Amino acid sequence: QVQVVQSGAEVKKPGASVKVSCKASGYTFNSYYIHWVRQAPGQGLEWMGIINPSDSRTRNAQKFQGRLTVTRDTSTKTVYMELSSLRSEDTAVYYCALEYNTSSFDFWGQGTLVTVSS
Amino acid sequence: DIQMTQSPSSLSASVGDRVTITCRASQGISNYLAWFQQKPGKAPKSLIYAASSLQSGVPSKFSGSGSGTDFTLTISSLQPEDFATYYCQQYNDYPLTFGGGTKVEIK
């Protein structure tokens, strides 16, 4: 079955970077885009960026330009989201979401809590 | 950026009620509109795509309508498992944007 499974929770200090993974299975990895979405505690959903696994092209929300890097490893069918220069406002649950057959977010990872605290 | 405005932000309803949530886009988005359900501590779940198409496995009590700037999500007969927060999202243009959410609570 199609699924995307994320890495575990992280605790980082302000100014550090975090790298979250999203491992895909059950489908042809190169064929479908993967997005990253985050949700701060008690808040709504915020789209961060997208990667095309077939050619690794990405597009990020302007808000994260210069801080967000999305990459993929085709050998392990894994997408990575790295956010740098972390601040307390980056404390959130980060989700990967697969655009599988509807041009929307058809399948979601379980979420990864990133806590930024000194 | 396209702003997505949901209303109401919260509502109280009883089991068996018909519930309607609205979502308005700040500019036309054709039918590139999705709806998601999120329960506490869980990832969002896709309900509706292309404004009115039911995601595979989603019960038919959920329905969506609209095109352009105005959209609705309707739950025909609210059940205990439907108490959750619902989000709309446009995918007509980047950056993709979400509505602020509608929390459906038990009356």
Side-chain angles (χ1 to χ4, degrees):
Chain A
Q1 70 281 21
V2 175
Q3 59 178 351
V4 285
V5 178
Q6 300 181 221
S7 49
E10 303 264 11
V11 179
K12 296 292 182 181
K13 293 193 181 303
S17 298
V18 68
K19 193 169 186 178
V20 178
S21 68
C22 173
K23 184 171 177 59
S25 62
Y27 70 96
T28 303
F29 178 70
N30 284 353
S31 297
Y32 303 99
Y33 298 166
I34 288 180
H35 299 256
W36 288 92
V37 175
R38 76 178 185 179
Q39 186 171 38
Q43 302 301 308
L45 300 166
E46 180 179 32
W47 179 79
M48 301 178 68
I50 180 177
I51 187 167
N52 180 349
S54 68
D55 60 10
S56 76
R57 290 181 66 182
T58 61
R59 183 166 188 162
N60 298 338
Q62 182 69 30
K63 174 177 180 177
F64 301 103
Q65 291 292 356
R67 290 206 302 143
L68 175 63
T69 304
V70 180
T71 57
R72 65 42 170 145
D73 182 337
T74 57
S75 67
T76 60
K77 299 181 181 179
T78 302
V79 169
Y80 299 93
M81 184 283 298
E82 184 170 20
L83 191 61
S84 62
S85 302
L86 290 169
R87 35 214 188 223
S88 59
E89 311 89 86
D90 294 317
T91 293
V93 176
Y94 289 76
Y95 294 102
C96 62
L98 172 64
E99 190 182 311
Y100 183 61
N101 59 353
T102 70
S103 299
S104 179
F105 302 155
D106 300 305
F107 295 93
W108 294 68
Q110 80 276 22
T112 297
L113 175 61
V114 175
T115 303
V116 182
S117 174
S118 55
Chain B
D1 298 4
I2 299 174
Q3 307 302 316
M4 305 300 293
T5 303
Q6 277 182 247
S7 60
S9 57
S10 66
L11 65 88
S12 294
S14 300
V15 172
D17 282 354
R18 180 183 181 91
V19 168
T20 298
I21 298 168
T22 66
C23 180
R24 174 164 289 175
S26 61
Q27 63 189 74
I29 59 170
S30 185
N31 68 335
Y32 295 107
L33 190 284
W35 290 97
F36 300 93
Q37 176 194 65
Q38 187 178 34
K39 297 181 178 178
K42 299 296 186 182
K45 173 188 175 183
S46 176
L47 298 177
I48 301 280
Y49 65 97
S52 60
S53 296
L54 206 60
Q55 186 65 267
S56 175
V58 173
S60 59
K61 62 182 171 180
F62 293 97
S63 63
S65 65
S67 183
T69 60
D70 294 307
F71 303 86
T72 61
L73 172 70
T74 299
I75 310 171
S76 61
S77 177
L78 204 63
Q79 296 304 306
E81 63 269 20
D82 303 328
F83 291 94
T85 300
Y86 294 84
Y87 294 93
C88 63
Q89 179 243 334
Q90 67 81 19
Y91 51 101
N92 180 73
D93 195 13
Y94 290 100
L96 308 186
T97 47
F98 292 86
T102 297
K103 186 173 184 179
V104 177
E105 298 176 303
I106 302 173
K107 183 183 285 184

